[in-house]
mmCIF file with all atom_site columns, all heavy atoms in Angstrom:
data_model
loop_
_atom_site.group_PDB
_atom_site.id
_atom_site.type_symbol
_atom_site.label_atom_id
_atom_site.label_alt_id
_atom_site.label_comp_id
_atom_site.label_asym_id
_atom_site.label_entity_id
_atom_site.label_seq_id
_atom_site.pdbx_PDB_ins_code
_atom_site.Cartn_x
_atom_site.Cartn_y
_atom_site.Cartn_z
_atom_site.occupancy
_atom_site.B_iso_or_equiv
_atom_site.pdbx_formal_charge
_atom_site.auth_seq_id
_atom_site.auth_comp_id
_atom_site.auth_asym_id
_atom_site.auth_atom_id
_atom_site.pdbx_PDB_model_num
ATOM 1   N N   . ASN A 1 1  ? 112.821 91.244  108.483 1.00 54.00 ? 1  ASN A N   1
ATOM 2   C CA  . ASN A 1 1  ? 112.325 92.136  109.517 1.00 54.00 ? 1  ASN A CA  1
ATOM 3   C C   . ASN A 1 1  ? 110.819 91.981  109.723 1.00 54.00 ? 1  ASN A C   1
ATOM 4   O O   . ASN A 1 1  ? 110.041 92.918  109.562 1.00 54.00 ? 1  ASN A O   1
ATOM 5   C CB  . ASN A 1 1  ? 112.667 93.594  109.219 1.00 54.00 ? 1  ASN A CB  1
ATOM 6   C CG  . ASN A 1 1  ? 112.804 94.405  110.508 1.00 54.00 ? 1  ASN A CG  1
ATOM 7   O OD1 . ASN A 1 1  ? 112.163 94.107  111.508 1.00 54.00 ? 1  ASN A OD1 1
ATOM 8   N ND2 . ASN A 1 1  ? 113.643 95.419  110.466 1.00 54.00 ? 1  ASN A ND2 1
ATOM 9   N N   . HIS A 1 2  ? 110.431 90.799  110.083 1.00 56.00 ? 2  HIS A N   1
ATOM 10  C CA  . HIS A 1 2  ? 109.023 90.490  110.312 1.00 56.00 ? 2  HIS A CA  1
ATOM 11  C C   . HIS A 1 2  ? 108.462 91.328  111.458 1.00 56.00 ? 2  HIS A C   1
ATOM 12  O O   . HIS A 1 2  ? 107.283 91.701  111.451 1.00 56.00 ? 2  HIS A O   1
ATOM 13  C CB  . HIS A 1 2  ? 108.870 88.997  110.620 1.00 56.00 ? 2  HIS A CB  1
ATOM 14  C CG  . HIS A 1 2  ? 107.468 88.577  110.905 1.00 56.00 ? 2  HIS A CG  1
ATOM 15  N ND1 . HIS A 1 2  ? 106.501 88.532  109.923 1.00 56.00 ? 2  HIS A ND1 1
ATOM 16  C CD2 . HIS A 1 2  ? 106.862 88.206  112.075 1.00 56.00 ? 2  HIS A CD2 1
ATOM 17  C CE1 . HIS A 1 2  ? 105.355 88.139  110.473 1.00 56.00 ? 2  HIS A CE1 1
ATOM 18  N NE2 . HIS A 1 2  ? 105.550 87.945  111.757 1.00 56.00 ? 2  HIS A NE2 1
ATOM 19  N N   . LYS A 1 3  ? 109.303 91.648  112.451 1.00 59.00 ? 3  LYS A N   1
ATOM 20  C CA  . LYS A 1 3  ? 108.840 92.437  113.596 1.00 59.00 ? 3  LYS A CA  1
ATOM 21  C C   . LYS A 1 3  ? 108.329 93.803  113.143 1.00 59.00 ? 3  LYS A C   1
ATOM 22  O O   . LYS A 1 3  ? 107.289 94.278  113.611 1.00 59.00 ? 3  LYS A O   1
ATOM 23  C CB  . LYS A 1 3  ? 109.966 92.614  114.609 1.00 59.00 ? 3  LYS A CB  1
ATOM 24  C CG  . LYS A 1 3  ? 109.546 93.453  115.829 1.00 59.00 ? 3  LYS A CG  1
ATOM 25  C CD  . LYS A 1 3  ? 110.718 93.742  116.752 1.00 59.00 ? 3  LYS A CD  1
ATOM 26  C CE  . LYS A 1 3  ? 111.027 92.551  117.611 1.00 59.00 ? 3  LYS A CE  1
ATOM 27  N NZ  . LYS A 1 3  ? 112.055 92.885  118.661 1.00 59.00 ? 3  LYS A NZ  1
ATOM 28  N N   . LEU A 1 4  ? 109.089 94.462  112.241 1.00 62.00 ? 4  LEU A N   1
ATOM 29  C CA  . LEU A 1 4  ? 108.676 95.771  111.757 1.00 62.00 ? 4  LEU A CA  1
ATOM 30  C C   . LEU A 1 4  ? 107.342 95.674  111.038 1.00 62.00 ? 4  LEU A C   1
ATOM 31  O O   . LEU A 1 4  ? 106.433 96.485  111.263 1.00 62.00 ? 4  LEU A O   1
ATOM 32  C CB  . LEU A 1 4  ? 109.741 96.355  110.832 1.00 62.00 ? 4  LEU A CB  1
ATOM 33  C CG  . LEU A 1 4  ? 109.401 97.676  110.125 1.00 62.00 ? 4  LEU A CG  1
ATOM 34  C CD1 . LEU A 1 4  ? 109.054 98.752  111.142 1.00 62.00 ? 4  LEU A CD1 1
ATOM 35  C CD2 . LEU A 1 4  ? 110.549 98.127  109.260 1.00 62.00 ? 4  LEU A CD2 1
ATOM 36  N N   . LYS A 1 5  ? 107.202 94.687  110.162 1.00 62.00 ? 5  LYS A N   1
ATOM 37  C CA  . LYS A 1 5  ? 105.951 94.515  109.437 1.00 62.00 ? 5  LYS A CA  1
ATOM 38  C C   . LYS A 1 5  ? 104.789 94.290  110.395 1.00 62.00 ? 5  LYS A C   1
ATOM 39  O O   . LYS A 1 5  ? 103.694 94.846  110.217 1.00 62.00 ? 5  LYS A O   1
ATOM 40  C CB  . LYS A 1 5  ? 106.051 93.322  108.477 1.00 62.00 ? 5  LYS A CB  1
ATOM 41  C CG  . LYS A 1 5  ? 106.938 93.538  107.274 1.00 62.00 ? 5  LYS A CG  1
ATOM 42  C CD  . LYS A 1 5  ? 106.801 92.342  106.346 1.00 62.00 ? 5  LYS A CD  1
ATOM 43  C CE  . LYS A 1 5  ? 107.688 92.463  105.129 1.00 62.00 ? 5  LYS A CE  1
ATOM 44  N NZ  . LYS A 1 5  ? 107.510 91.322  104.198 1.00 62.00 ? 5  LYS A NZ  1
ATOM 45  N N   . THR A 1 6  ? 105.014 93.468  111.413 1.00 64.00 ? 6  THR A N   1
ATOM 46  C CA  . THR A 1 6  ? 103.959 93.166  112.377 1.00 64.00 ? 6  THR A CA  1
ATOM 47  C C   . THR A 1 6  ? 103.506 94.422  113.102 1.00 64.00 ? 6  THR A C   1
ATOM 48  O O   . THR A 1 6  ? 102.302 94.650  113.296 1.00 64.00 ? 6  THR A O   1
ATOM 49  C CB  . THR A 1 6  ? 104.448 92.117  113.393 1.00 64.00 ? 6  THR A CB  1
ATOM 50  O OG1 . THR A 1 6  ? 104.814 90.927  112.700 1.00 64.00 ? 6  THR A OG1 1
ATOM 51  C CG2 . THR A 1 6  ? 103.365 91.805  114.410 1.00 64.00 ? 6  THR A CG2 1
ATOM 52  N N   . ARG A 1 7  ? 104.456 95.257  113.496 1.00 64.00 ? 7  ARG A N   1
ATOM 53  C CA  . ARG A 1 7  ? 104.109 96.492  114.195 1.00 64.00 ? 7  ARG A CA  1
ATOM 54  C C   . ARG A 1 7  ? 103.296 97.424  113.297 1.00 64.00 ? 7  ARG A C   1
ATOM 55  O O   . ARG A 1 7  ? 102.346 98.065  113.750 1.00 64.00 ? 7  ARG A O   1
ATOM 56  C CB  . ARG A 1 7  ? 105.387 97.191  114.665 1.00 64.00 ? 7  ARG A CB  1
ATOM 57  C CG  . ARG A 1 7  ? 106.060 96.509  115.853 1.00 64.00 ? 7  ARG A CG  1
ATOM 58  C CD  . ARG A 1 7  ? 107.325 97.231  116.261 1.00 64.00 ? 7  ARG A CD  1
ATOM 59  N NE  . ARG A 1 7  ? 107.884 96.670  117.492 1.00 64.00 ? 7  ARG A NE  1
ATOM 60  C CZ  . ARG A 1 7  ? 109.009 97.092  118.048 1.00 64.00 ? 7  ARG A CZ  1
ATOM 61  N NH1 . ARG A 1 7  ? 109.709 98.071  117.475 1.00 64.00 ? 7  ARG A NH1 1
ATOM 62  N NH2 . ARG A 1 7  ? 109.440 96.545  119.171 1.00 64.00 ? 7  ARG A NH2 1
ATOM 63  N N   . LEU A 1 8  ? 103.668 97.498  112.030 1.00 65.00 ? 8  LEU A N   1
ATOM 64  C CA  . LEU A 1 8  ? 102.920 98.333  111.102 1.00 65.00 ? 8  LEU A CA  1
ATOM 65  C C   . LEU A 1 8  ? 101.498 97.806  110.911 1.00 65.00 ? 8  LEU A C   1
ATOM 66  O O   . LEU A 1 8  ? 100.538 98.576  110.842 1.00 65.00 ? 8  LEU A O   1
ATOM 67  C CB  . LEU A 1 8  ? 103.641 98.413  109.752 1.00 65.00 ? 8  LEU A CB  1
ATOM 68  C CG  . LEU A 1 8  ? 104.984 99.143  109.752 1.00 65.00 ? 8  LEU A CG  1
ATOM 69  C CD1 . LEU A 1 8  ? 105.679 98.979  108.414 1.00 65.00 ? 8  LEU A CD1 1
ATOM 70  C CD2 . LEU A 1 8  ? 104.794 100.622 110.066 1.00 65.00 ? 8  LEU A CD2 1
ATOM 71  N N   . ARG A 1 9  ? 101.367 96.478  110.845 1.00 63.00 ? 9  ARG A N   1
ATOM 72  C CA  . ARG A 1 9  ? 100.041 95.879  110.691 1.00 63.00 ? 9  ARG A CA  1
ATOM 73  C C   . ARG A 1 9  ? 99.187  96.148  111.928 1.00 63.00 ? 9  ARG A C   1
ATOM 74  O O   . ARG A 1 9  ? 97.998  96.411  111.819 1.00 63.00 ? 9  ARG A O   1
ATOM 75  C CB  . ARG A 1 9  ? 100.155 94.360  110.472 1.00 63.00 ? 9  ARG A CB  1
ATOM 76  C CG  . ARG A 1 9  ? 100.807 93.946  109.186 1.00 63.00 ? 9  ARG A CG  1
ATOM 77  C CD  . ARG A 1 9  ? 99.996  94.371  107.960 1.00 63.00 ? 9  ARG A CD  1
ATOM 78  N NE  . ARG A 1 9  ? 100.784 94.168  106.764 1.00 63.00 ? 9  ARG A NE  1
ATOM 79  C CZ  . ARG A 1 9  ? 101.631 95.064  106.267 1.00 63.00 ? 9  ARG A CZ  1
ATOM 80  N NH1 . ARG A 1 9  ? 101.811 96.227  106.873 1.00 63.00 ? 9  ARG A NH1 1
ATOM 81  N NH2 . ARG A 1 9  ? 102.308 94.828  105.170 1.00 63.00 ? 9  ARG A NH2 1
ATOM 82  N N   . ASN A 1 10 ? 99.800  96.077  113.085 1.00 65.00 ? 10 ASN A N   1
ATOM 83  C CA  . ASN A 1 10 ? 99.058  96.309  114.323 1.00 65.00 ? 10 ASN A CA  1
ATOM 84  C C   . ASN A 1 10 ? 98.511  97.729  114.400 1.00 65.00 ? 10 ASN A C   1
ATOM 85  O O   . ASN A 1 10 ? 97.514  97.985  115.073 1.00 65.00 ? 10 ASN A O   1
ATOM 86  C CB  . ASN A 1 10 ? 99.944  96.025  115.539 1.00 65.00 ? 10 ASN A CB  1
ATOM 87  C CG  . ASN A 1 10 ? 100.234 94.536  115.717 1.00 65.00 ? 10 ASN A CG  1
ATOM 88  O OD1 . ASN A 1 10 ? 99.513  93.690  115.181 1.00 65.00 ? 10 ASN A OD1 1
ATOM 89  N ND2 . ASN A 1 10 ? 101.275 94.218  116.450 1.00 65.00 ? 10 ASN A ND2 1
ATOM 90  N N   . LEU A 1 11 ? 99.177  98.659  113.710 1.00 62.00 ? 11 LEU A N   1
ATOM 91  C CA  . LEU A 1 11 ? 98.728  100.044 113.674 1.00 62.00 ? 11 LEU A CA  1
ATOM 92  C C   . LEU A 1 11 ? 97.877  100.328 112.439 1.00 62.00 ? 11 LEU A C   1
ATOM 93  O O   . LEU A 1 11 ? 97.480  101.474 112.201 1.00 62.00 ? 11 LEU A O   1
ATOM 94  C CB  . LEU A 1 11 ? 99.939  100.984 113.687 1.00 62.00 ? 11 LEU A CB  1
ATOM 95  C CG  . LEU A 1 11 ? 100.716 101.052 115.004 1.00 62.00 ? 11 LEU A CG  1
ATOM 96  C CD1 . LEU A 1 11 ? 102.041 101.774 114.803 1.00 62.00 ? 11 LEU A CD1 1
ATOM 97  C CD2 . LEU A 1 11 ? 99.890  101.749 116.078 1.00 62.00 ? 11 LEU A CD2 1
ATOM 98  N N   . SER A 1 12 ? 97.596  99.281  111.652 1.00 65.00 ? 12 SER A N   1
ATOM 99  C CA  . SER A 1 12 ? 96.787  99.408  110.420 1.00 65.00 ? 12 SER A CA  1
ATOM 100 C C   . SER A 1 12 ? 97.370  100.445 109.468 1.00 65.00 ? 12 SER A C   1
ATOM 101 O O   . SER A 1 12 ? 96.674  101.319 108.947 1.00 65.00 ? 12 SER A O   1
ATOM 102 C CB  . SER A 1 12 ? 95.343  99.777  110.773 1.00 65.00 ? 12 SER A CB  1
ATOM 103 O OG  . SER A 1 12 ? 94.745  98.787  111.563 1.00 65.00 ? 12 SER A OG  1
ATOM 104 N N   . LEU A 1 13 ? 98.678  100.339 109.229 1.00 68.00 ? 13 LEU A N   1
ATOM 105 C CA  . LEU A 1 13 ? 99.366  101.274 108.353 1.00 68.00 ? 13 LEU A CA  1
ATOM 106 C C   . LEU A 1 13 ? 99.883  100.564 107.110 1.00 68.00 ? 13 LEU A C   1
ATOM 107 O O   . LEU A 1 13 ? 100.241 99.389  107.150 1.00 68.00 ? 13 LEU A O   1
ATOM 108 C CB  . LEU A 1 13 ? 100.533 101.937 109.091 1.00 68.00 ? 13 LEU A CB  1
ATOM 109 C CG  . LEU A 1 13 ? 100.160 102.823 110.287 1.00 68.00 ? 13 LEU A CG  1
ATOM 110 C CD1 . LEU A 1 13 ? 101.415 103.292 111.010 1.00 68.00 ? 13 LEU A CD1 1
ATOM 111 C CD2 . LEU A 1 13 ? 99.326  104.022 109.843 1.00 68.00 ? 13 LEU A CD2 1
ATOM 112 N N   . ASN A 1 14 ? 99.938  101.306 106.005 1.00 61.00 ? 14 ASN A N   1
ATOM 113 C CA  . ASN A 1 14 ? 100.476 100.788 104.751 1.00 61.00 ? 14 ASN A CA  1
ATOM 114 C C   . ASN A 1 14 ? 101.830 101.420 104.463 1.00 61.00 ? 14 ASN A C   1
ATOM 115 O O   . ASN A 1 14 ? 102.088 102.558 104.849 1.00 61.00 ? 14 ASN A O   1
ATOM 116 C CB  . ASN A 1 14 ? 99.533  101.125 103.574 1.00 61.00 ? 14 ASN A CB  1
ATOM 117 C CG  . ASN A 1 14 ? 98.179  100.491 103.723 1.00 61.00 ? 14 ASN A CG  1
ATOM 118 O OD1 . ASN A 1 14 ? 98.057  99.297  103.984 1.00 61.00 ? 14 ASN A OD1 1
ATOM 119 N ND2 . ASN A 1 14 ? 97.128  101.288 103.563 1.00 61.00 ? 14 ASN A ND2 1
ATOM 120 N N   . THR A 1 15 ? 102.696 100.676 103.797 1.00 57.00 ? 15 THR A N   1
ATOM 121 C CA  . THR A 1 15 ? 103.947 101.251 103.304 1.00 57.00 ? 15 THR A CA  1
ATOM 122 C C   . THR A 1 15 ? 103.981 101.101 101.795 1.00 57.00 ? 15 THR A C   1
ATOM 123 O O   . THR A 1 15 ? 103.537 100.084 101.242 1.00 57.00 ? 15 THR A O   1
ATOM 124 C CB  . THR A 1 15 ? 105.194 100.556 103.894 1.00 57.00 ? 15 THR A CB  1
ATOM 125 O OG1 . THR A 1 15 ? 105.255 99.210  103.414 1.00 57.00 ? 15 THR A OG1 1
ATOM 126 C CG2 . THR A 1 15 ? 105.172 100.575 105.409 1.00 57.00 ? 15 THR A CG2 1
ATOM 127 N N   . VAL A 1 16 ? 104.509 102.128 101.127 1.00 56.00 ? 16 VAL A N   1
ATOM 128 C CA  . VAL A 1 16 ? 104.641 102.051 99.678  1.00 56.00 ? 16 VAL A CA  1
ATOM 129 C C   . VAL A 1 16 ? 105.693 101.007 99.314  1.00 56.00 ? 16 VAL A C   1
ATOM 130 O O   . VAL A 1 16 ? 105.687 100.453 98.211  1.00 56.00 ? 16 VAL A O   1
ATOM 131 C CB  . VAL A 1 16 ? 104.987 103.436 99.085  1.00 56.00 ? 16 VAL A CB  1
ATOM 132 C CG1 . VAL A 1 16 ? 106.421 103.818 99.357  1.00 56.00 ? 16 VAL A CG1 1
ATOM 133 C CG2 . VAL A 1 16 ? 104.676 103.487 97.601  1.00 56.00 ? 16 VAL A CG2 1
ATOM 134 N N   . CYS A 1 17 ? 106.579 100.718 100.263 1.00 53.00 ? 17 CYS A N   1
ATOM 135 C CA  . CYS A 1 17 ? 107.620 99.705  100.052 1.00 53.00 ? 17 CYS A CA  1
ATOM 136 C C   . CYS A 1 17 ? 106.995 98.367  99.640  1.00 53.00 ? 17 CYS A C   1
ATOM 137 O O   . CYS A 1 17 ? 107.456 97.690  98.718  1.00 53.00 ? 17 CYS A O   1
ATOM 138 C CB  . CYS A 1 17 ? 108.430 99.512  101.325 1.00 53.00 ? 17 CYS A CB  1
ATOM 139 S SG  . CYS A 1 17 ? 108.810 101.020 102.229 1.00 53.00 ? 17 CYS A SG  1
ATOM 140 N N   . GLU A 1 18 ? 105.925 97.983  100.342 1.00 53.00 ? 18 GLU A N   1
ATOM 141 C CA  . GLU A 1 18 ? 105.267 96.717  100.049 1.00 53.00 ? 18 GLU A CA  1
ATOM 142 C C   . GLU A 1 18 ? 104.276 96.835  98.903  1.00 53.00 ? 18 GLU A C   1
ATOM 143 O O   . GLU A 1 18 ? 104.186 95.959  98.049  1.00 53.00 ? 18 GLU A O   1
ATOM 144 C CB  . GLU A 1 18 ? 104.566 96.207  101.309 1.00 53.00 ? 18 GLU A CB  1
ATOM 145 C CG  . GLU A 1 18 ? 105.527 95.843  102.426 1.00 53.00 ? 18 GLU A CG  1
ATOM 146 C CD  . GLU A 1 18 ? 104.801 95.475  103.701 1.00 53.00 ? 18 GLU A CD  1
ATOM 147 O OE1 . GLU A 1 18 ? 104.467 96.384  104.478 1.00 53.00 ? 18 GLU A OE1 1
ATOM 148 O OE2 . GLU A 1 18 ? 104.564 94.265  103.905 1.00 53.00 ? 18 GLU A OE2 1
ATOM 149 N N   . GLU A 1 19 ? 103.506 97.937  98.889  1.00 48.00 ? 19 GLU A N   1
ATOM 150 C CA  . GLU A 1 19 ? 102.480 98.109  97.869  1.00 48.00 ? 19 GLU A CA  1
ATOM 151 C C   . GLU A 1 19 ? 103.074 98.133  96.470  1.00 48.00 ? 19 GLU A C   1
ATOM 152 O O   . GLU A 1 19 ? 102.472 97.643  95.520  1.00 48.00 ? 19 GLU A O   1
ATOM 153 C CB  . GLU A 1 19 ? 101.698 99.409  98.123  1.00 48.00 ? 19 GLU A CB  1
ATOM 154 C CG  . GLU A 1 19 ? 100.856 99.406  99.381  1.00 48.00 ? 19 GLU A CG  1
ATOM 155 C CD  . GLU A 1 19 ? 99.684  98.442  99.297  1.00 48.00 ? 19 GLU A CD  1
ATOM 156 O OE1 . GLU A 1 19 ? 99.224  98.154  98.185  1.00 48.00 ? 19 GLU A OE1 1
ATOM 157 O OE2 . GLU A 1 19 ? 99.230  97.976  100.362 1.00 48.00 ? 19 GLU A OE2 1
ATOM 158 N N   . SER A 1 20 ? 104.263 98.719  96.323  1.00 49.00 ? 20 SER A N   1
ATOM 159 C CA  . SER A 1 20 ? 104.890 98.835  95.006  1.00 49.00 ? 20 SER A CA  1
ATOM 160 C C   . SER A 1 20 ? 105.934 97.753  94.748  1.00 49.00 ? 20 SER A C   1
ATOM 161 O O   . SER A 1 20 ? 106.593 97.756  93.721  1.00 49.00 ? 20 SER A O   1
ATOM 162 C CB  . SER A 1 20 ? 105.549 100.203 94.855  1.00 49.00 ? 20 SER A CB  1
ATOM 163 O OG  . SER A 1 20 ? 106.595 100.358 95.799  1.00 49.00 ? 20 SER A OG  1
ATOM 164 N N   . ARG A 1 21 ? 106.090 96.824  95.735  1.00 55.00 ? 21 ARG A N   1
ATOM 165 C CA  . ARG A 1 21 ? 107.093 95.759  95.625  1.00 55.00 ? 21 ARG A CA  1
ATOM 166 C C   . ARG A 1 21 ? 108.482 96.336  95.338  1.00 55.00 ? 21 ARG A C   1
ATOM 167 O O   . ARG A 1 21 ? 109.196 95.906  94.427  1.00 55.00 ? 21 ARG A O   1
ATOM 168 C CB  . ARG A 1 21 ? 106.697 94.753  94.532  1.00 55.00 ? 21 ARG A CB  1
ATOM 169 C CG  . ARG A 1 21 ? 105.418 94.003  94.842  1.00 55.00 ? 21 ARG A CG  1
ATOM 170 C CD  . ARG A 1 21 ? 105.095 92.979  93.792  1.00 55.00 ? 21 ARG A CD  1
ATOM 171 N NE  . ARG A 1 21 ? 103.804 92.349  94.037  1.00 55.00 ? 21 ARG A NE  1
ATOM 172 C CZ  . ARG A 1 21 ? 103.225 91.468  93.225  1.00 55.00 ? 21 ARG A CZ  1
ATOM 173 N NH1 . ARG A 1 21 ? 103.832 91.117  92.099  1.00 55.00 ? 21 ARG A NH1 1
ATOM 174 N NH2 . ARG A 1 21 ? 102.047 90.957  93.520  1.00 55.00 ? 21 ARG A NH2 1
ATOM 175 N N   . CYS A 1 22 ? 108.850 97.308  96.115  1.00 58.00 ? 22 CYS A N   1
ATOM 176 C CA  . CYS A 1 22 ? 110.142 97.980  95.933  1.00 58.00 ? 22 CYS A CA  1
ATOM 177 C C   . CYS A 1 22 ? 111.282 96.987  96.103  1.00 58.00 ? 22 CYS A C   1
ATOM 178 O O   . CYS A 1 22 ? 111.307 96.217  97.072  1.00 58.00 ? 22 CYS A O   1
ATOM 179 C CB  . CYS A 1 22 ? 110.274 99.117  96.943  1.00 58.00 ? 22 CYS A CB  1
ATOM 180 S SG  . CYS A 1 22 ? 111.873 99.963  96.853  1.00 58.00 ? 22 CYS A SG  1
ATOM 181 N N   . PRO A 1 23 ? 112.265 97.003  95.202  1.00 58.00 ? 23 PRO A N   1
ATOM 182 C CA  . PRO A 1 23 ? 113.391 96.067  95.296  1.00 58.00 ? 23 PRO A CA  1
ATOM 183 C C   . PRO A 1 23 ? 114.326 96.345  96.458  1.00 58.00 ? 23 PRO A C   1
ATOM 184 O O   . PRO A 1 23 ? 115.179 95.523  96.781  1.00 58.00 ? 23 PRO A O   1
ATOM 185 C CB  . PRO A 1 23 ? 114.118 96.256  93.957  1.00 58.00 ? 23 PRO A CB  1
ATOM 186 C CG  . PRO A 1 23 ? 113.764 97.636  93.533  1.00 58.00 ? 23 PRO A CG  1
ATOM 187 C CD  . PRO A 1 23 ? 112.343 97.836  93.989  1.00 58.00 ? 23 PRO A CD  1
ATOM 188 N N   . ASN A 1 24 ? 114.180 97.502  97.110  1.00 54.00 ? 24 ASN A N   1
ATOM 189 C CA  . ASN A 1 24 ? 115.031 97.839  98.256  1.00 54.00 ? 24 ASN A CA  1
ATOM 190 C C   . ASN A 1 24 ? 114.380 97.532  99.593  1.00 54.00 ? 24 ASN A C   1
ATOM 191 O O   . ASN A 1 24 ? 114.897 97.917  100.634 1.00 54.00 ? 24 ASN A O   1
ATOM 192 C CB  . ASN A 1 24 ? 115.388 99.338  98.209  1.00 54.00 ? 24 ASN A CB  1
ATOM 193 C CG  . ASN A 1 24 ? 116.112 99.718  96.941  1.00 54.00 ? 24 ASN A CG  1
ATOM 194 O OD1 . ASN A 1 24 ? 117.044 99.053  96.532  1.00 54.00 ? 24 ASN A OD1 1
ATOM 195 N ND2 . ASN A 1 24 ? 115.663 100.781 96.312  1.00 54.00 ? 24 ASN A ND2 1
ATOM 196 N N   . ILE A 1 25 ? 113.258 96.833  99.567  1.00 57.00 ? 25 ILE A N   1
ATOM 197 C CA  . ILE A 1 25 ? 112.497 96.624  100.795 1.00 57.00 ? 25 ILE A CA  1
ATOM 198 C C   . ILE A 1 25 ? 113.312 95.899  101.857 1.00 57.00 ? 25 ILE A C   1
ATOM 199 O O   . ILE A 1 25 ? 113.247 96.239  103.040 1.00 57.00 ? 25 ILE A O   1
ATOM 200 C CB  . ILE A 1 25 ? 111.174 95.876  100.496 1.00 57.00 ? 25 ILE A CB  1
ATOM 201 C CG1 . ILE A 1 25 ? 110.289 95.859  101.750 1.00 57.00 ? 25 ILE A CG1 1
ATOM 202 C CG2 . ILE A 1 25 ? 111.420 94.477  99.960  1.00 57.00 ? 25 ILE A CG2 1
ATOM 203 C CD1 . ILE A 1 25 ? 108.885 95.356  101.467 1.00 57.00 ? 25 ILE A CD1 1
ATOM 204 N N   . SER A 1 26 ? 114.112 94.917  101.461 1.00 57.00 ? 26 SER A N   1
ATOM 205 C CA  . SER A 1 26 ? 114.925 94.187  102.431 1.00 57.00 ? 26 SER A CA  1
ATOM 206 C C   . SER A 1 26 ? 115.912 95.120  103.114 1.00 57.00 ? 26 SER A C   1
ATOM 207 O O   . SER A 1 26 ? 116.058 95.117  104.336 1.00 57.00 ? 26 SER A O   1
ATOM 208 C CB  . SER A 1 26 ? 115.685 93.050  101.740 1.00 57.00 ? 26 SER A CB  1
ATOM 209 O OG  . SER A 1 26 ? 114.796 92.159  101.100 1.00 57.00 ? 26 SER A OG  1
ATOM 210 N N   . GLU A 1 27 ? 116.597 95.924  102.325 1.00 61.00 ? 27 GLU A N   1
ATOM 211 C CA  . GLU A 1 27 ? 117.615 96.829  102.842 1.00 61.00 ? 27 GLU A CA  1
ATOM 212 C C   . GLU A 1 27 ? 117.006 97.877  103.771 1.00 61.00 ? 27 GLU A C   1
ATOM 213 O O   . GLU A 1 27 ? 117.514 98.127  104.871 1.00 61.00 ? 27 GLU A O   1
ATOM 214 C CB  . GLU A 1 27 ? 118.327 97.521  101.679 1.00 61.00 ? 27 GLU A CB  1
ATOM 215 C CG  . GLU A 1 27 ? 119.435 98.455  102.095 1.00 61.00 ? 27 GLU A CG  1
ATOM 216 C CD  . GLU A 1 27 ? 120.131 99.072  100.889 1.00 61.00 ? 27 GLU A CD  1
ATOM 217 O OE1 . GLU A 1 27 ? 119.781 98.723  99.749  1.00 61.00 ? 27 GLU A OE1 1
ATOM 218 O OE2 . GLU A 1 27 ? 121.015 99.911  101.116 1.00 61.00 ? 27 GLU A OE2 1
ATOM 219 N N   . CYS A 1 28 ? 115.897 98.478  103.335 1.00 61.00 ? 28 CYS A N   1
ATOM 220 C CA  . CYS A 1 28 ? 115.292 99.542  104.133 1.00 61.00 ? 28 CYS A CA  1
ATOM 221 C C   . CYS A 1 28 ? 114.652 99.006  105.407 1.00 61.00 ? 28 CYS A C   1
ATOM 222 O O   . CYS A 1 28 ? 114.818 99.583  106.482 1.00 61.00 ? 28 CYS A O   1
ATOM 223 C CB  . CYS A 1 28 ? 114.263 100.289 103.292 1.00 61.00 ? 28 CYS A CB  1
ATOM 224 S SG  . CYS A 1 28 ? 114.992 101.219 101.931 1.00 61.00 ? 28 CYS A SG  1
ATOM 225 N N   . PHE A 1 29 ? 113.926 97.894  105.306 1.00 59.00 ? 29 PHE A N   1
ATOM 226 C CA  . PHE A 1 29 ? 113.280 97.343  106.487 1.00 59.00 ? 29 PHE A CA  1
ATOM 227 C C   . PHE A 1 29 ? 114.310 96.885  107.517 1.00 59.00 ? 29 PHE A C   1
ATOM 228 O O   . PHE A 1 29 ? 114.088 96.986  108.715 1.00 59.00 ? 29 PHE A O   1
ATOM 229 C CB  . PHE A 1 29 ? 112.358 96.186  106.100 1.00 59.00 ? 29 PHE A CB  1
ATOM 230 C CG  . PHE A 1 29 ? 110.950 96.625  105.757 1.00 59.00 ? 29 PHE A CG  1
ATOM 231 C CD1 . PHE A 1 29 ? 110.691 97.912  105.326 1.00 59.00 ? 29 PHE A CD1 1
ATOM 232 C CD2 . PHE A 1 29 ? 109.896 95.745  105.876 1.00 59.00 ? 29 PHE A CD2 1
ATOM 233 C CE1 . PHE A 1 29 ? 109.406 98.320  105.014 1.00 59.00 ? 29 PHE A CE1 1
ATOM 234 C CE2 . PHE A 1 29 ? 108.596 96.140  105.565 1.00 59.00 ? 29 PHE A CE2 1
ATOM 235 C CZ  . PHE A 1 29 ? 108.360 97.429  105.140 1.00 59.00 ? 29 PHE A CZ  1
ATOM 236 N N   . SER A 1 30 ? 115.449 96.373  107.038 1.00 59.00 ? 30 SER A N   1
ATOM 237 C CA  . SER A 1 30 ? 116.483 95.933  107.972 1.00 59.00 ? 30 SER A CA  1
ATOM 238 C C   . SER A 1 30 ? 117.063 97.105  108.751 1.00 59.00 ? 30 SER A C   1
ATOM 239 O O   . SER A 1 30 ? 117.597 96.936  109.842 1.00 59.00 ? 30 SER A O   1
ATOM 240 C CB  . SER A 1 30 ? 117.599 95.200  107.227 1.00 59.00 ? 30 SER A CB  1
ATOM 241 O OG  . SER A 1 30 ? 118.324 96.090  106.399 1.00 59.00 ? 30 SER A OG  1
#
């Protein structure tokens, strides 16, 4: 889900999903 990540970056937002390397990131982002 690169599109979701790109949109978050464009808004200069952080997610704990990425910061903590959550193992469910694929499932949740999809």
Side-chain angles (χ1 to χ4, degrees):
N1 209 330
H2 179 71
K3 179 186 281 188
L4 174 57
K5 289 187 182 182
T6 300
R7 287 179 173 178
L8 293 172
R9 294 296 169 273
N10 289 340
L11 290 168
S12 299
L13 296 174
N14 298 311
T15 66
V16 74
C17 320
E18 294 174 275
E19 293 292 334
S20 63
R21 296 183 185 176
C22 177
N24 301 313
I25 189 170
S26 302
E27 182 178 357
C28 293
F29 271 24
S30 68

